[in-house]
Amino acid sequence: DKSFLFDLYIQIPPLPEQKKIASILMSVDEVIKNTQRQINKLQDLKKAIMSELLTKGIGHAEFKDSELGRIPKSWRITTLESIGDFAKGKGISKKETTSNGVPCVRYAEIYTEYNYVIDKFKSFISTKTINITKKLKTNDIIFAGSGETVEDIGKSVAFVSNFDAYVGGDTIIFSPNIECNSVFLSYQLNDDLRRIQLRKFGQGSSVIHIYTSGIKQLKIVLPPITEQNKIAEIFLSYAKIINTKINKLTKVKSLKKSLMQ
């Protein structure tokens, strides 16, 4: 029934003013479209560079065949179990979180709020709650222990800060016990090759779970630490540029909304 449209009141300024308003809004729309195009191109470029650096590294001339494909001769293949220790997160229900206090990570936020590295915490708990949860260490990597689909299972994120933070239940924490760059490791653990491995360890139907026993078997490539650091810096620099563009897009969309009002 479209009859209600006949009773809809609208404001009609003089035509010259309509044209000016339309011109302003169209110019803002153009900025939004161009910024989104830039973000899409940067994300595609970052993905291509990730694939290149995680398989060929930086400046290598000699390569070797391995069970994970062709890799630089100086790289080695290992399992997570061989280079670190595992623990489980605990506690922190949604009702226990606060708007400020001690920073924390809940398992669902690994899917919805973070990519590769925790740069800004989204949840907090009171100091009274920290004794029922698990404290993170610098360079820990946190895996989500369950998910709705097998494609999502095992997503992980690196904690590289040096202040106190905590992690809730349904998570698995990997702590490297050798010198390695957790940013490099996080990007690798979330690439297509490692995701395929992780999916094989997923168990369940309506809710998919992954366990420490599976993640321990995950095979990774490990370049020398100096090369890990260089690759991690490149990944972070692209992430920073993309985040700057995303923040700009958010501000321009907010500006358009204000102008329309």
Short mmCIF file of all heavy atoms in Angstrom, two decimals, residues 27-70:
data_model
loop_
_atom_site.label_atom_id
_atom_site.label_comp_id
_atom_site.label_asym_id
_atom_site.label_seq_id
_atom_site.Cartn_x
_atom_site.Cartn_y
_atom_site.Cartn_z
N SER A 27 29.68 15.64 -4.24
CA SER A 27 31.15 15.73 -4.11
C SER A 27 31.63 14.87 -2.95
O SER A 27 32.69 14.24 -3.02
CB SER A 27 31.58 17.18 -3.94
OG SER A 27 31.13 17.70 -2.70
N VAL A 28 30.85 14.84 -1.85
CA VAL A 28 31.20 13.99 -0.71
C VAL A 28 31.10 12.52 -1.11
O VAL A 28 31.94 11.70 -0.75
CB VAL A 28 30.30 14.29 0.50
CG1 VAL A 28 30.60 13.32 1.64
CG2 VAL A 28 30.50 15.71 0.98
N ASP A 29 30.05 12.17 -1.88
CA ASP A 29 29.91 10.80 -2.37
C ASP A 29 31.11 10.38 -3.21
O ASP A 29 31.56 9.23 -3.14
CB ASP A 29 28.63 10.66 -3.22
CG ASP A 29 27.40 10.39 -2.37
OD1 ASP A 29 27.56 9.88 -1.25
OD2 ASP A 29 26.29 10.68 -2.82
N GLU A 30 31.63 11.32 -4.00
CA GLU A 30 32.77 11.01 -4.86
C GLU A 30 34.01 10.72 -4.01
O GLU A 30 34.80 9.81 -4.32
CB GLU A 30 33.04 12.18 -5.81
CG GLU A 30 34.00 11.86 -6.95
CD GLU A 30 33.51 10.73 -7.85
OE1 GLU A 30 32.29 10.55 -8.00
OE2 GLU A 30 34.37 10.00 -8.39
N VAL A 31 34.19 11.49 -2.94
CA VAL A 31 35.32 11.25 -2.02
C VAL A 31 35.19 9.87 -1.38
O VAL A 31 36.16 9.11 -1.26
CB VAL A 31 35.39 12.33 -0.92
CG1 VAL A 31 36.46 11.99 0.11
CG2 VAL A 31 35.68 13.69 -1.54
N ILE A 32 33.95 9.51 -0.99
CA ILE A 32 33.70 8.19 -0.38
C ILE A 32 34.04 7.08 -1.36
O ILE A 32 34.73 6.11 -1.01
CB ILE A 32 32.23 8.08 0.07
CG1 ILE A 32 31.98 8.99 1.29
CG2 ILE A 32 31.87 6.64 0.42
CD1 ILE A 32 30.53 9.11 1.69
N LYS A 33 33.59 7.21 -2.60
CA LYS A 33 33.86 6.18 -3.62
C LYS A 33 35.36 6.05 -3.90
O LYS A 33 35.90 4.95 -3.98
CB LYS A 33 33.12 6.51 -4.91
CG LYS A 33 31.63 6.31 -4.85
CD LYS A 33 30.97 6.70 -6.17
CE LYS A 33 29.46 6.61 -6.09
NZ LYS A 33 28.82 7.09 -7.34
N ASN A 34 36.04 7.19 -4.04
CA ASN A 34 37.48 7.16 -4.33
C ASN A 34 38.28 6.56 -3.17
O ASN A 34 39.22 5.79 -3.39
CB ASN A 34 37.98 8.57 -4.63
CG ASN A 34 37.54 9.07 -5.99
OD1 ASN A 34 37.25 8.28 -6.89
ND2 ASN A 34 37.45 10.39 -6.15
N THR A 35 37.89 6.90 -1.95
CA THR A 35 38.59 6.36 -0.77
C THR A 35 38.38 4.85 -0.68
O THR A 35 39.32 4.11 -0.38
CB THR A 35 38.10 7.04 0.52
OG1 THR A 35 38.23 8.46 0.39
CG2 THR A 35 38.92 6.59 1.72
N GLN A 36 37.16 4.39 -0.95
CA GLN A 36 36.88 2.95 -0.91
C GLN A 36 37.68 2.22 -1.99
O GLN A 36 38.20 1.12 -1.74
CB GLN A 36 35.39 2.69 -1.10
CG GLN A 36 34.99 1.23 -0.94
CD GLN A 36 35.29 0.69 0.45
OE1 GLN A 36 34.74 1.18 1.44
NE2 GLN A 36 36.17 -0.30 0.55
N ARG A 37 37.80 2.83 -3.18
CA ARG A 37 38.61 2.23 -4.24
C ARG A 37 40.07 2.10 -3.81
O ARG A 37 40.72 1.09 -4.06
CB ARG A 37 38.53 3.09 -5.51
CG ARG A 37 37.27 2.89 -6.33
CD ARG A 37 37.40 3.51 -7.71
NE ARG A 37 36.11 4.01 -8.16
CZ ARG A 37 35.76 5.28 -8.19
NH1 ARG A 37 36.62 6.21 -7.81
NH2 ARG A 37 34.57 5.65 -8.61
N GLN A 38 40.59 3.15 -3.18
CA GLN A 38 41.97 3.12 -2.70
C GLN A 38 42.17 2.02 -1.66
O GLN A 38 43.18 1.31 -1.68
CB GLN A 38 42.33 4.48 -2.10
CG GLN A 38 42.43 5.60 -3.11
CD GLN A 38 42.56 6.96 -2.46
OE1 GLN A 38 42.71 7.07 -1.25
NE2 GLN A 38 42.52 8.02 -3.26
N ILE A 39 41.20 1.88 -0.75
CA ILE A 39 41.29 0.83 0.27
C ILE A 39 41.29 -0.55 -0.38
O ILE A 39 42.11 -1.41 -0.03
CB ILE A 39 40.10 0.95 1.26
CG1 ILE A 39 40.26 2.21 2.12
CG2 ILE A 39 40.03 -0.28 2.17
CD1 ILE A 39 39.04 2.55 2.94
N ASN A 40 40.41 -0.76 -1.35
CA ASN A 40 40.33 -2.05 -2.04
C ASN A 40 41.65 -2.38 -2.75
O ASN A 40 42.14 -3.52 -2.69
CB ASN A 40 39.19 -2.05 -3.05
CG ASN A 40 37.83 -1.97 -2.39
OD1 ASN A 40 37.69 -2.24 -1.19
ND2 ASN A 40 36.81 -1.61 -3.15
N LYS A 41 42.23 -1.38 -3.42
CA LYS A 41 43.49 -1.59 -4.13
C LYS A 41 44.63 -1.90 -3.15
O LYS A 41 45.46 -2.78 -3.41
CB LYS A 41 43.84 -0.37 -4.97
CG LYS A 41 42.98 -0.22 -6.23
CD LYS A 41 43.39 1.01 -7.03
CE LYS A 41 42.54 1.15 -8.28
NZ LYS A 41 42.90 2.36 -9.06
N LEU A 42 44.68 -1.17 -2.05
CA LEU A 42 45.72 -1.40 -1.05
C LEU A 42 45.58 -2.78 -0.41
O LEU A 42 46.57 -3.47 -0.17
CB LEU A 42 45.65 -0.32 0.04
CG LEU A 42 46.23 1.05 -0.32
CD1 LEU A 42 45.80 2.09 0.69
CD2 LEU A 42 47.75 0.98 -0.41
N GLN A 43 44.34 -3.21 -0.16
CA GLN A 43 44.13 -4.54 0.42
C GLN A 43 44.55 -5.64 -0.55
O GLN A 43 45.14 -6.64 -0.14
CB GLN A 43 42.67 -4.69 0.83
CG GLN A 43 42.31 -3.89 2.07
CD GLN A 43 40.85 -3.92 2.42
OE1 GLN A 43 39.99 -4.09 1.55
NE2 GLN A 43 40.53 -3.77 3.71
N ASP A 44 44.25 -5.44 -1.84
CA ASP A 44 44.67 -6.42 -2.85
C ASP A 44 46.20 -6.47 -2.95
O ASP A 44 46.80 -7.55 -3.06
CB ASP A 44 44.08 -6.07 -4.22
CG ASP A 44 42.58 -6.33 -4.29
OD1 ASP A 44 42.06 -7.07 -3.43
OD2 ASP A 44 41.93 -5.77 -5.19
N LEU A 45 46.82 -5.29 -2.91
CA LEU A 45 48.29 -5.22 -2.98
C LEU A 45 48.92 -5.87 -1.77
O LEU A 45 49.89 -6.64 -1.89
CB LEU A 45 48.72 -3.75 -3.09
CG LEU A 45 50.22 -3.48 -3.15
CD1 LEU A 45 50.85 -4.17 -4.35
CD2 LEU A 45 50.50 -1.98 -3.20
N LYS A 46 48.36 -5.60 -0.59
CA LYS A 46 48.89 -6.19 0.64
C LYS A 46 48.79 -7.71 0.58
O LYS A 46 49.72 -8.43 0.98
CB LYS A 46 48.12 -5.66 1.85
CG LYS A 46 48.64 -6.21 3.18
CD LYS A 46 47.76 -5.78 4.34
CE LYS A 46 48.22 -6.44 5.63
NZ LYS A 46 47.30 -6.17 6.76
N LYS A 47 47.66 -8.23 0.09
CA LYS A 47 47.48 -9.67 0.00
C LYS A 47 48.51 -10.30 -0.94
O LYS A 47 49.08 -11.36 -0.64
CB LYS A 47 46.07 -9.99 -0.49
CG LYS A 47 45.72 -11.46 -0.44
CD LYS A 47 44.26 -11.72 -0.80
CE LYS A 47 43.93 -13.21 -0.71
NZ LYS A 47 42.51 -13.48 -1.04
N ALA A 48 48.77 -9.63 -2.06
CA ALA A 48 49.76 -10.14 -3.02
C ALA A 48 51.16 -10.12 -2.41
O ALA A 48 51.95 -11.07 -2.57
CB ALA A 48 49.73 -9.31 -4.30
N ILE A 49 51.50 -9.05 -1.70
CA ILE A 49 52.82 -8.93 -1.07
C ILE A 49 52.97 -9.97 0.04
O ILE A 49 54.04 -10.57 0.22
CB ILE A 49 53.03 -7.50 -0.53
CG1 ILE A 49 53.25 -6.56 -1.71
CG2 ILE A 49 54.20 -7.43 0.44
CD1 ILE A 49 53.29 -5.10 -1.35
N MET A 50 51.89 -10.20 0.81
CA MET A 50 51.93 -11.23 1.85
C MET A 50 52.26 -12.59 1.24
O MET A 50 53.11 -13.33 1.75
CB MET A 50 50.59 -11.30 2.58
CG MET A 50 50.36 -10.21 3.60
SD MET A 50 48.66 -10.22 4.24
CE MET A 50 48.56 -11.91 4.88
N SER A 51 51.57 -12.92 0.16
CA SER A 51 51.79 -14.22 -0.50
C SER A 51 53.24 -14.34 -0.98
O SER A 51 53.88 -15.39 -0.82
CB SER A 51 50.83 -14.36 -1.67
OG SER A 51 51.05 -15.56 -2.36
N GLU A 52 53.76 -13.25 -1.52
CA GLU A 52 55.13 -13.25 -2.04
C GLU A 52 56.15 -13.41 -0.91
O GLU A 52 57.05 -14.26 -0.96
CB GLU A 52 55.37 -11.94 -2.80
CG GLU A 52 56.75 -11.80 -3.41
CD GLU A 52 56.90 -12.53 -4.73
OE1 GLU A 52 55.90 -13.04 -5.25
OE2 GLU A 52 58.04 -12.58 -5.23
N LEU A 53 56.00 -12.60 0.14
CA LEU A 53 56.99 -12.59 1.22
C LEU A 53 56.94 -13.86 2.07
O LEU A 53 57.97 -14.29 2.60
CB LEU A 53 56.79 -11.36 2.10
CG LEU A 53 57.12 -10.01 1.46
CD1 LEU A 53 56.82 -8.88 2.42
CD2 LEU A 53 58.58 -9.96 1.02
N LEU A 54 55.75 -14.45 2.22
CA LEU A 54 55.62 -15.66 3.05
C LEU A 54 56.06 -16.93 2.33
O LEU A 54 56.13 -17.99 2.94
CB LEU A 54 54.17 -15.81 3.53
CG LEU A 54 53.73 -14.80 4.60
CD1 LEU A 54 52.23 -14.92 4.85
CD2 LEU A 54 54.50 -14.98 5.90
N THR A 55 56.37 -16.81 1.05
CA THR A 55 56.86 -17.99 0.31
C THR A 55 58.27 -17.77 -0.26
O THR A 55 59.05 -18.72 -0.33
CB THR A 55 55.91 -18.33 -0.86
OG1 THR A 55 55.71 -17.16 -1.68
CG2 THR A 55 54.56 -18.80 -0.33
N LYS A 56 58.58 -16.53 -0.63
CA LYS A 56 59.87 -16.27 -1.28
C LYS A 56 60.80 -15.41 -0.44
O LYS A 56 62.00 -15.32 -0.73
CB LYS A 56 59.64 -15.61 -2.64
CG LYS A 56 58.90 -16.52 -3.62
CD LYS A 56 58.71 -15.85 -4.97
CE LYS A 56 57.94 -16.75 -5.92
NZ LYS A 56 57.69 -16.08 -7.23
N GLY A 57 60.26 -14.76 0.59
CA GLY A 57 61.09 -13.94 1.45
C GLY A 57 61.64 -12.71 0.76
O GLY A 57 61.07 -12.22 -0.21
N ILE A 58 62.77 -12.22 1.26
CA ILE A 58 63.38 -10.98 0.75
C ILE A 58 64.76 -11.27 0.18
O ILE A 58 65.68 -11.69 0.89
CB ILE A 58 63.50 -9.94 1.88
CG1 ILE A 58 62.12 -9.59 2.45
CG2 ILE A 58 64.18 -8.67 1.37
CD1 ILE A 58 62.16 -8.69 3.67
N GLY A 59 64.91 -11.07 -1.11
CA GLY A 59 66.23 -11.11 -1.76
C GLY A 59 66.92 -12.45 -1.84
O GLY A 59 68.15 -12.51 -1.82
N HIS A 60 66.16 -13.54 -1.92
CA HIS A 60 66.78 -14.87 -1.99
C HIS A 60 67.06 -15.29 -3.43
O HIS A 60 66.29 -15.02 -4.34
CB HIS A 60 65.88 -15.91 -1.33
CG HIS A 60 65.78 -15.75 0.16
ND1 HIS A 60 66.72 -16.26 1.03
CD2 HIS A 60 64.85 -15.12 0.92
CE1 HIS A 60 66.38 -15.96 2.27
NE2 HIS A 60 65.25 -15.26 2.23
N ALA A 61 68.18 -15.98 -3.62
CA ALA A 61 68.54 -16.51 -4.94
C ALA A 61 68.46 -18.03 -4.97
O ALA A 61 68.32 -18.63 -6.02
CB ALA A 61 69.95 -16.05 -5.32
N GLU A 62 68.58 -18.66 -3.79
CA GLU A 62 68.57 -20.12 -3.72
C GLU A 62 67.32 -20.62 -2.98
O GLU A 62 66.98 -20.11 -1.90
CB GLU A 62 69.82 -20.63 -3.00
CG GLU A 62 71.12 -20.35 -3.76
CD GLU A 62 72.31 -20.97 -3.06
OE1 GLU A 62 72.67 -20.48 -1.97
OE2 GLU A 62 72.87 -21.96 -3.60
N PHE A 63 66.66 -21.61 -3.58
CA PHE A 63 65.43 -22.15 -3.01
C PHE A 63 65.51 -23.67 -2.92
O PHE A 63 66.39 -24.30 -3.53
CB PHE A 63 64.23 -21.74 -3.88
CG PHE A 63 63.97 -20.26 -3.88
CD1 PHE A 63 64.67 -19.42 -4.73
CD2 PHE A 63 63.03 -19.71 -3.03
CE1 PHE A 63 64.45 -18.04 -4.72
CE2 PHE A 63 62.79 -18.34 -3.01
CZ PHE A 63 63.51 -17.51 -3.87
N LYS A 64 64.60 -24.25 -2.16
CA LYS A 64 64.55 -25.71 -2.02
C LYS A 64 63.08 -26.15 -1.98
O LYS A 64 62.19 -25.38 -1.60
CB LYS A 64 65.27 -26.15 -0.74
CG LYS A 64 64.64 -25.61 0.54
CD LYS A 64 65.46 -25.99 1.78
CE LYS A 64 64.84 -25.39 3.04
NZ LYS A 64 65.64 -25.66 4.25
N ASP A 65 62.86 -27.40 -2.38
CA ASP A 65 61.52 -27.96 -2.29
C ASP A 65 61.27 -28.44 -0.87
O ASP A 65 62.17 -28.95 -0.20
CB ASP A 65 61.37 -29.14 -3.27
CG ASP A 65 61.41 -28.67 -4.73
OD1 ASP A 65 60.86 -27.59 -5.00
OD2 ASP A 65 62.00 -29.38 -5.57
N SER A 66 60.04 -28.27 -0.40
CA SER A 66 59.68 -28.70 0.94
C SER A 66 58.24 -29.19 0.95
O SER A 66 57.52 -29.04 -0.05
CB SER A 66 59.84 -27.54 1.94
OG SER A 66 58.76 -26.64 1.81
N GLU A 67 57.79 -29.73 2.07
CA GLU A 67 56.41 -30.20 2.17
C GLU A 67 55.41 -29.05 2.16
O GLU A 67 54.21 -29.27 1.97
CB GLU A 67 56.23 -31.02 3.45
CG GLU A 67 56.63 -30.28 4.73
CD GLU A 67 56.72 -31.23 5.91
OE1 GLU A 67 55.74 -31.94 6.18
OE2 GLU A 67 57.79 -31.25 6.56
N LEU A 68 55.90 -27.83 2.33
CA LEU A 68 55.03 -26.65 2.25
C LEU A 68 55.26 -25.86 0.97
O LEU A 68 54.87 -24.71 0.85
CB LEU A 68 55.27 -25.73 3.47
CG LEU A 68 54.87 -26.32 4.83
CD1 LEU A 68 55.18 -25.32 5.94
CD2 LEU A 68 53.40 -26.72 4.86
N GLY A 69 55.91 -26.52 0.00
CA GLY A 69 56.18 -25.85 -1.27
C GLY A 69 57.62 -25.39 -1.36
O GLY A 69 58.46 -25.68 -0.52
N ARG A 70 57.91 -24.62 -2.41
CA ARG A 70 59.27 -24.13 -2.63
C ARG A 70 59.53 -22.93 -1.73
O ARG A 70 58.77 -21.95 -1.74
CB ARG A 70 59.43 -23.76 -4.10
CG ARG A 70 60.88 -23.66 -4.56
CD ARG A 70 60.98 -23.84 -6.06
NE ARG A 70 62.34 -23.68 -6.53
CZ ARG A 70 63.29 -24.61 -6.43
NH1 ARG A 70 63.00 -25.75 -5.86
NH2 ARG A 70 64.50 -24.39 -6.89
#
